Amino acid sequence: MRLATWNVNSIRSRIDRVTSWLERADVDVLAMQETKCKDEQFPTLPFASLGYEVVHTGSSQWNGVAIASRVGITDVAVGFDGQPTWEEASEARALGATCDGVRVWSLYVPNGRTVDSPHYAYKLDWLAALRRTASGWLAEDPRAQIALVGDWNIAPTDEDVWDIEVFRHSTHVTEPERAAFRAIEAEFPDVVRPFAPGPENFTYWDYTQLRFPRREGMRIDFVLGSPALAERVGHAEIVRAERKPGKKGTPPPSDHAPVLVDLT
């Protein structure tokens, strides 16, 4: 199975880029984040024409997560047990489905905004709840095939940002966020980093100030796998080429690149 994750930054704006890449990359399952549309607005037909089933949860022009699979979709779950709410509303940030025996969770972790924002506390609560729930899944079945994938809005190490001094007092790099990520990673290892180690293996580049051509990015998109899933990973990569601008007159790319893994 070839499994990928991609923060598409508006699926309706980038449907042609996404489906074209799916075809070229021969992807079996794609988890998407930041779809920015309601369920009834999601462009299902282009996926269906390529043989993909799609599940999606979204209620506004913000957030939104989806899973497209050509190897089946069962046991769909919107949100995980204990997922916190924001301003008394459950946001569209987590979607689970079983695809050919693999439990895939498309996750869009809250941004946190600023370290003194209530959204930062919400982000830490969200991550703590995910850790507790995911740990429970492994306790129930240590051999479960689980993939926690998506935009984590955390750069776990200093080398995961182009200049740590630029972000020193910002979210994404604070020790509480990194500790929350490490707590999840302790049970669900990062299965991509062994294939793409070292600095500058970024997954996100801001649109401003020519960040992409200047190689000024962040590594914030990850595939974390249960131990049984990690054993199956034969290859993984960050598909940086999909962040490059397309032909003149076409929509700009997402500010994130896809991340993919091959399971044997």
Side-chain angles (χ1 to χ4, degrees), residues 6-9 14 34 203-207 221 243 252-257:
W6 197 356
N7 178 321
V8 294
N9 191 13
R14 290 175 238 290
E34 213 171 352
T203 65
Y204 163 82
W205 301 260
D206 194 288
Y207 288 126
D221 302 84
R243 177 59 178 82
S254 170
D255 43 5
H256 294 249

Side-chain angles (χ1 to χ4, degrees), residues 184-192 223-227 230:
I184 298 172
E185 192 182 15
E187 294 188 280
F188 294 83
D190 179 350
V191 301
V192 177
V223 176
L224 305 188
S226 62

Side-chain angles (χ1 to χ4, degrees), residues 7-13 33-41 56-65 91-93 108:
N7 178 321
V8 294
N9 191 13
S10 180
I11 186 60
R12 289 179 292 172
S13 298
Q33 303 84 42
E34 213 171 352
T35 56
K36 294 185 176 180
C37 65
K38 299 178 181 179
D39 289 345
E40 60 270 23
Q41 296 173 318
H56 173 261
T57 181
S59 57
S60 68
Q61 73 272 29
W62 309 111
N63 309 322
V65 284
E91 294 187 303
R93 292 186 176 275
Y108 182 38

Side-chain angles (χ1 to χ4, degrees), residues 13-14 16-17 244-254:
S13 298
R14 290 175 238 290
D16 290 342
R17 293 187 70 112
K244 295 179 181 178
K247 296 179 180 178
K248 187 176 181 180
T250 63
S254 170

Side-chain angles (χ1 to χ4, degrees), residues 161-163 199-202 204-205 209-218 240 244:
V161 296
W162 64 274
D163 184 348
E200 295 197 8
N201 272 313
F202 303 136
Y204 163 82
W205 301 260
Q209 300 180 45
L210 299 175
R211 293 295 190 209
F212 182 71
R214 292 168 62 176
R215 304 185 68 84
E216 296 176 349
M218 304 178 73
R240 188 176 181 274
K244 295 179 181 178

